[in-house]
């Protein structure tokens, strides 16, 4: 099996907002249109503006605020988050964030073995998928009994009387039978095999292609699904060994398998909007860090206004509501760079502040937090700015979290919020 487009595949790596320029040995003019078309299609699929992934420049393509991989024959573009660190350390941080946000449970031992320095994000995730799936199938594929109807020379199960008396009336040597058969052709196996087959088209390292070849053979008795994301998969004890690898498979299957704008070749996109990823990651980590206080994600219990009949209007949806002893703390995440040189408010937008005030009123919250990613242009991560809300005893603060140092995020969150708990109590 060969990589996408059956051509040698190279990878160009940039951070958010950086440019992929047309140059000798890099991005070529004939690839720009294909990659731009692929990015537009991927943005639509993610329900984002068409310019959310990449925009055209007079010299090539500029990455936006979506990270991941865009691949066309001969070239892959890898877009990494704009956080501090070398490319390999940023890849590792991104994989940790994905593992938390999508419940993939990647251990530090697994991550250390993935060789983030020499492989791009797609190859790293393919290797992780292959190694996990190979480990699971060594103990056998999940199987279940399927109801079958078949005309047999010997009796099996129960007799389909009507069919026997009509279709087989002149053929007493054939028996219309209904029976249960233990089969490996189950929904979860079809999803996994389809993922393996699709990854075989985009993988480019010899090791990954070899692993995928071995997996194809393991799923020989399983069919390929035309609509794998719609398969009626039920995760239970009978297929527990495949739960985490199934979640990883769905991540790959959400890739944008389509024609590029030229319509000549297939492209692949595995992309993650950083706003959504940052929110999901922080929410899950906050639930771990702030036990025993409950943390509600995307809470929908309140409205900004009330109609005359007392029904709600304009639903509010804060990213996180921490149920602290002294009252709720409202947290909204923003994947945006703060800058102490950007005026007295460091770039905190007026609209975000107004939104937080609406949350405070509806939830009767005294503490409001806008949480941003940290970078080296700021001082130590944590609280950057505090305000008192005019005419009330409420406080709003802008704070940062160093997601490049993912192993310390739990500690950072506890340091940020536990003093507030003590004050509230």
């Amino acid at each position: 099996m060969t990589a996408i487009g059956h051509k040698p595949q190279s990878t160009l790596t940039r951070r958010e907002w950086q440019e992929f320029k047309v140059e000798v040995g890099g991005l070529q003019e004939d690839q720009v249109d294909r990659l731009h078309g692929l990015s537009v299609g991927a943005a639509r699929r993610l329900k984002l503006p068409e310019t959310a992934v990449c925009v055209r420049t007079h010299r090539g393509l500029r990455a936006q605020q979506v990270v991941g991989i865009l691949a066309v024959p001969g070239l892959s573009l890898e877009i990494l988050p704009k956080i501090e660190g070398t490319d390999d350390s940023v890849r590792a941080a991104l994989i940790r964030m994905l593992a938390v946000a999508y419940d993939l449970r990647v251990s530090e031992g697994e991550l250390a073995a993935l060789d983030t320095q020499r492989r791009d994000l797609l190859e790293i995730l393919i290797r992780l998928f292959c190694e996990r799936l190979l480990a699971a199938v060594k103990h056998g594929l999940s199987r279940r009994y399927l109801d079958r109807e078949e005309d047999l020379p010997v009796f099996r199960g129960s007799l389909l009387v009507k069919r026997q008396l009509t279709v087989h009336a002149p053929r007493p040597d054939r028996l219309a039978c209904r029976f249960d058969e233990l089969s490996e052709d189950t929904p979860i196996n079809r999803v996994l095999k389809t993922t393996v087959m699709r990854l075989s088209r985009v993988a480019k390292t010899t090791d990954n292609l070899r692993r995928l070849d071995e997996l194809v053979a393991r799923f020989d008795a399983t069919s390929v699904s035309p609509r794998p994301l719609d398969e009626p998969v039920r995760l239970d004890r009978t297929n527990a060994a495949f739960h985490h690898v199934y979640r990883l498979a769905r991540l790959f299957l959400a890739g944008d398998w389509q024609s590029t704008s030229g319509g000549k070749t297939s492209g692949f996109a595995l992309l993650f909007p950083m706003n959504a990823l940052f929110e999901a990651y922080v929410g899950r980590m906050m639930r771990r860090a702030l036990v025993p206080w409950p943390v509600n994600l995307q809470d929908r219990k309140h409205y900004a206004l009330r109609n005359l009949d007392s029904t709600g209007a304009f639903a509010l949806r804060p990213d996180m509501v921490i149920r602290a002893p002294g009252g709720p703390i409202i947290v909204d995440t923003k994947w945006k760079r703060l800058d102490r040189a950007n005026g007295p408010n460091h770039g905190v937008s007026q609209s975000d502040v107004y939104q937080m005030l609406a949350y405070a009123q509806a939830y009767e919250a005294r503490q409001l937090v806008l949480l941003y990613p940290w970078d080296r242009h700021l001082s130590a991560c944590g609280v950057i700015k505090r305000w008192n809300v005019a005419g009330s005893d409420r406080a709003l603060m802008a704070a940062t979290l160093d997601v490049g140092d993912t192993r310390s995020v739990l500690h950072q969150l506890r340091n940020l919020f536990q003093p507030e708990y003590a004050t509230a109590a």
Side-chain angles (χ1 to χ4, degrees), residues 30-104:
D30 64 332
Q31 293 169 326
V32 173
D33 284 339
R34 294 178 180 179
L35 286 162
H36 182 252
L38 184 61
S39 75
V40 169
R44 289 172 182 162
R45 186 162 182 165
L46 291 168
K47 298 182 181 178
L48 297 173
E50 292 185 354
T51 57
V53 179
C54 286
V55 295
R56 291 291 300 267
T57 68
H58 71 282
R59 295 178 296 180
L61 295 168
R62 186 179 301 281
Q64 299 298 290
Q65 215 166 8
V66 176
V67 302
I69 290 283
L70 289 166
V72 295
L75 184 67
S76 296
L77 302 185
E78 180 186 38
I79 306 170
L80 296 177
K82 191 177 179 181
I83 57 180
E84 300 300 325
T86 60
D87 285 351
D88 59 309
S89 68
V90 172
R91 284 190 196 99
L94 177 57
I95 291 169
R96 290 189 186 99
M97 292 178 71
L98 293 170
V100 171
Y102 292 92
D103 195 23
L104 304 179

Side-chain angles (χ1 to χ4, degrees), residues 71-306:
V72 295
L75 184 67
S76 296
L77 302 185
E78 180 186 38
I79 306 170
L80 296 177
K82 191 177 179 181
I83 57 180
E84 300 300 325
T86 60
D87 285 351
D88 59 309
S89 68
V90 172
R91 284 190 196 99
L94 177 57
I95 291 169
R96 290 189 186 99
M97 292 178 71
L98 293 170
V100 171
Y102 292 92
D103 195 23
L104 304 179
R105 302 190 184 181
V106 180
S107 70
E108 287 300 314
E110 281 182 297
L111 187 57
L114 291 176
D115 196 6
T116 58
Q117 187 172 5
R118 295 194 305 162
R119 302 173 188 269
D120 64 39
L121 178 67
L122 180 58
E123 292 299 318
I124 292 168
L125 291 175
I126 291 175
R127 178 174 174 178
L128 179 65
F129 173 79
C130 289
E131 290 184 348
R132 285 190 169 186
L133 188 51
L134 284 167
V137 299
K138 284 179 180 178
H139 303 287
L141 296 180
S142 62
R143 299 186 295 172
R144 73 175 187 181
Y145 283 100
L146 301 179
D147 186 34
R148 295 279 303 276
E149 293 184 2
E150 195 171 337
D151 299 329
L152 301 174
V154 294
F155 181 71
R156 182 177 179 184
S158 60
L159 187 68
L160 297 170
V161 177
K162 183 177 180 180
R163 178 174 175 81
Q164 187 66 38
L165 295 178
T166 53
V167 176
H168 294 317
R171 291 284 310 272
D173 60 320
R174 305 300 293 176
L175 298 173
C177 300
R178 173 183 288 140
F179 56 93
D180 291 333
E181 184 175 62
L182 194 59
S183 173
E184 293 180 352
D185 197 14
T186 65
I188 191 170
N189 288 344
R190 288 194 292 271
V191 170
L192 294 172
K193 180 172 183 176
T194 304
T195 306
V196 169
M197 299 299 291
R198 290 186 175 183
L199 291 179
S200 297
R201 292 160 41 188
V202 297
K204 54 185 180 285
T205 66
T206 302
D207 286 348
N208 278 343
L209 289 168
R210 175 181 54 77
R211 293 182 182 99
L212 290 164
D213 277 341
E214 181 180 347
L215 285 166
V216 169
R218 297 272 189 166
F219 284 89
D220 183 58
T222 302
S223 58
V224 174
S225 174
R227 299 177 62 87
L229 290 174
D230 295 329
E231 286 283 353
V233 174
R234 185 174 61 193
L235 299 180
D236 54 31
R237 287 182 296 177
T238 66
N239 54 28
F242 297 89
H243 289 187
H244 292 146
V245 76
Y246 169 71
R247 294 187 185 101
L248 194 51
R250 288 189 62 88
L251 206 61
F252 285 119
L253 293 170
D256 194 13
W257 301 81
Q258 61 172 26
S259 295
T260 62
S261 57
K264 297 178 181 179
T265 55
S266 295
F268 172 72
L270 182 65
L271 298 168
F272 309 95
M274 280 308 302
N275 277 309
L277 179 58
F278 184 51
E279 177 190 328
Y281 172 72
V282 171
R284 284 177 172 264
M285 292 299 283
M286 197 172 288
R287 281 181 164 173
R288 298 181 192 177
L290 304 183
V291 172
W293 289 279
V295 178
N296 296 340
L297 308 182
Q298 289 287 305
D299 192 271
R300 303 185 184 188
K301 296 178 181 177
H302 294 278
Y303 295 84
L305 301 174
R306 288 285 173 187

Side-chain angles (χ1 to χ4, degrees), residues 82-85 335-340 372-382 384 399-404 412:
K82 191 177 179 181
I83 57 180
E84 300 300 325
W335 187 257
K336 172 186 173 183
R337 301 292 160 188
L338 293 183
D339 186 352
R340 288 187 180 274
Y372 302 84
W374 176 85
D375 66 30
R376 60 185 174 85
H377 298 100
L378 300 167
S379 58
C381 61
I384 302 300
T400 61
L401 194 68
D402 184 3
V403 294
Q412 293 178 56

